Amino acid sequence: MHEMLRARRGAPSLAIWRGEAEAEPSFVLNLPEFLEGDAFNIEAFAGAIDDAVAALTLLAPEAFRLVIGMADLALLLARLDLDYGSGCARDTAAMLAAFLTARADLASASLSGKEGYRISVYAPLPEACAIPGLAEATAVARRVALKQERRRHQGLTGIPPAGPVEALLGIETIGIAAPLAPLDGAGHLAHWASARLAVRGVNPESAVAAVIAGDDPFDTPVPAASRAMHDAVAPHLHLTPARPAMLACRQPAKPREALPDRRSGYTQKAIIGGHRLFLRTGEFPDGRLGEIAITLHRESAGFRGLMDAFATAVSLGLQHGVPLEELIESFTFTRFGPGGVVEGDPAVAYATSLVDYVFRHLAANYCADYELAPAMPESEDGVVIADPEPLLPLELPKPGLRHPRRPVLKLVG
């Protein structure tokens, strides 16, 4: 074990080093360290598997289940010039897992007596493998292991939980996981990214230029690649690791539905609290709302720019299938100035902001069945005035009463 640790080829879990009891003793094999030049040392890998089974059995003879796994698969694939998300990379990883399991079964069978656990039929081998001789070595190990019929342990291979041993071995990615980015946590180029550039003869300056140009010289794997790798490797291990979960925010959006070059729609002019606004709409051929444009007058350049960008974002959402009702639910009742009484639009009497007006108008014209509560003005202390009375011209406060200031002025003819 000390010799393997010195070569950074493998090490047992921290509990084994401390002499502590562990329900499932584990051992990690660092795959890239078995690569000598361009060739993967299959004999050294087999010897390390045998040593791992023997060491864990001697140190924990009562354990009926071991977890011997491989790690830093991403760096090995990069040094072999294989894209992590490619089919050849998955077949190579599956072949390594199949060899690991067959060799571990054979080592465990040599330590068992008449009693033990039956060695079951293995899953079919993958069709391709980028490591010469590994497919033949796996077939031989399987054939010899099946002749033994029984092994000492119920299970031997899997993906051990991450721990300090990986850091001791210099492992960058745990188990069969995909690399997340070409940079490590310190902002330096990750080992797998450096290996990818080296094997392809690309210097860092050229890689930076490619990134600036919008290319990915590292071929960083997409999130779905981890799931595909798991599905390829899991059938060849005794203890199947949990399948990586996909985040809901990573689900692909609906394809963008383009509007026709000549589209129908209308322009609505309105005055909200004394501020003039033009709302333009664009429709799909079936009459659904597909885009909006908001034009303001006498506002600052920054505010006009924000409203223009907001209208563009809403239009993109509509064209990607976002329901208009969800947008109405999110943006109505937004309260910021300018806001107030609405003039020029009979469908909306009052709006708490320009954004609130836009979506109230859209709800009235494109969602006839959508019920929306009316907006109410607020007093200066933030209290909503349920039914504000009109302020008549030349009206004076009554003696002894404090007349509250109203944020809006309604002229009654």
Side-chain angles (χ1 to χ4, degrees):
M1 285 196 300
H2 283 86
E3 179 60 26
M4 268 200 287
L5 179 61
R6 184 193 65 81
R8 292 194 172 184
R9 284 184 169 177
S13 60
L14 185 62
I16 294 296
W17 288 106
R18 293 177 173 176
E20 300 173 353
E22 195 173 17
E24 296 181 355
S26 60
F27 205 102
V28 179
L29 298 174
N30 192 8
L31 290 177
E33 297 302 325
F34 294 96
L35 196 62
E36 300 174 355
D38 296 333
F40 186 85
N41 193 332
I42 302 175
E43 184 178 354
F45 187 51
I49 298 171
D50 296 343
D51 292 342
V53 174
L56 294 182
T57 303
L58 292 173
L59 293 170
E62 72 286 350
F64 66 95
R65 181 179 293 173
L66 309 178
V67 184
I68 303 172
M70 51 189 186
D72 221 346
L73 173 66
L75 179 56
L76 174 68
L77 296 177
R79 290 181 177 174
L80 294 175
D81 197 17
L82 294 176
D83 292 338
Y84 183 93
S86 65
C88 185
R90 291 191 291 271
D91 288 346
T92 301
M95 191 69 74
L96 284 167
F99 180 78
L100 172 65
T101 297
R103 191 73 189 194
D105 283 348
L106 186 57
S108 178
S110 66
L111 299 174
S112 66
K114 294 182 180 180
E115 301 295 331
Y117 298 91
R118 181 173 296 277
I119 300 176
S120 58
V121 178
Y122 297 105
L125 290 176
E127 298 179 356
C129 180
I131 299 177
L134 183 59
E136 293 78 6
T138 303
V140 172
R142 282 185 165 189
R143 185 167 58 251
V144 177
L146 288 173
K147 289 182 179 180
Q148 304 298 318
E149 294 186 354
R150 293 184 178 274
R151 59 177 181 252
R152 179 187 178 97
H153 303 90
Q154 183 183 24
L156 292 121
T157 59
I159 303 296
V165 174
E166 282 80 0
L168 191 64
L169 295 174
I171 293 173
E172 192 173 55
T173 54
I174 304 300
I176 59 174
L180 298 178
L183 299 180
D184 58 18
H188 303 139
L189 204 60
H191 297 319
W192 75 271
S194 298
R196 174 59 53 83
L197 297 181
V199 76
R200 294 182 176 181
V202 179
N203 57 48
E205 290 79 8
S206 300
V208 171
V211 171
I212 295 175
D215 298 329
D216 183 10
F218 309 101
D219 291 329
T220 306
V222 296
S226 291
R227 295 167 64 88
M229 183 64 74
H230 170 275
D231 294 342
V233 172
H236 303 282
L237 298 175
H238 289 148
L239 305 176
T240 304
R243 193 181 191 207
M246 292 289 289
L247 298 177
C249 61
R250 291 292 185 182
Q251 294 179 354
K254 295 181 180 179
R256 183 179 179 182
E257 184 179 0
L259 286 164
D261 294 336
R262 183 168 182 171
R263 64 205 68 164
S264 59
Y266 61 86
T267 300
Q268 174 68 49
K269 176 186 175 181
I271 299 176
I272 301 95
H275 294 257
R276 190 186 309 171
L277 176 146
F278 288 89
L279 173 64
R280 297 179 177 88
T281 65
E283 301 173 353
F284 292 106
D286 58 359
R288 291 178 294 116
L289 180 65
E291 69 174 1
I292 64 171
I294 303 173
T295 303
L296 301 176
H297 293 273
R298 298 181 181 177
E299 306 294 341
S300 65
F303 190 74
R304 291 199 307 268
L306 285 175
M307 290 297 289
D308 185 59
F310 174 75
T312 302
V314 171
S315 301
L316 288 174
L318 292 170
Q319 293 164 25
H320 281 281
V322 178
L324 178 59
E325 291 79 3
E326 293 187 10
L327 296 173
I328 295 171
E329 187 71 23
S330 299
F331 294 110
T332 50
F333 295 101
T334 53
R335 192 176 294 274
F336 59 88
V341 177
V342 177
E343 300 176 37
D345 189 346
V348 183
Y350 189 92
T352 57
S353 65
L354 298 182
V355 173
D356 177 65
Y357 164 73
V358 167
F359 285 95
R360 285 183 179 277
H361 173 86
L362 295 177
N365 288 271
Y366 287 95
C367 303
D369 298 332
Y370 192 86
E371 295 183 0
L372 194 62
M376 296 295 180
E378 282 185 351
S379 62
E380 289 185 343
D381 55 0
V383 178
V384 175
I385 302 174
D387 188 14
E389 298 178 357
L391 186 63
L392 299 178
L394 303 179
E395 182 182 9
L396 299 176
K398 297 180 181 180
L401 295 178
R402 184 178 179 183
H403 197 81
R405 296 179 58 190
R406 296 182 175 87
V408 294
L409 173 65
K410 288 186 177 180
L411 300 180
V412 179

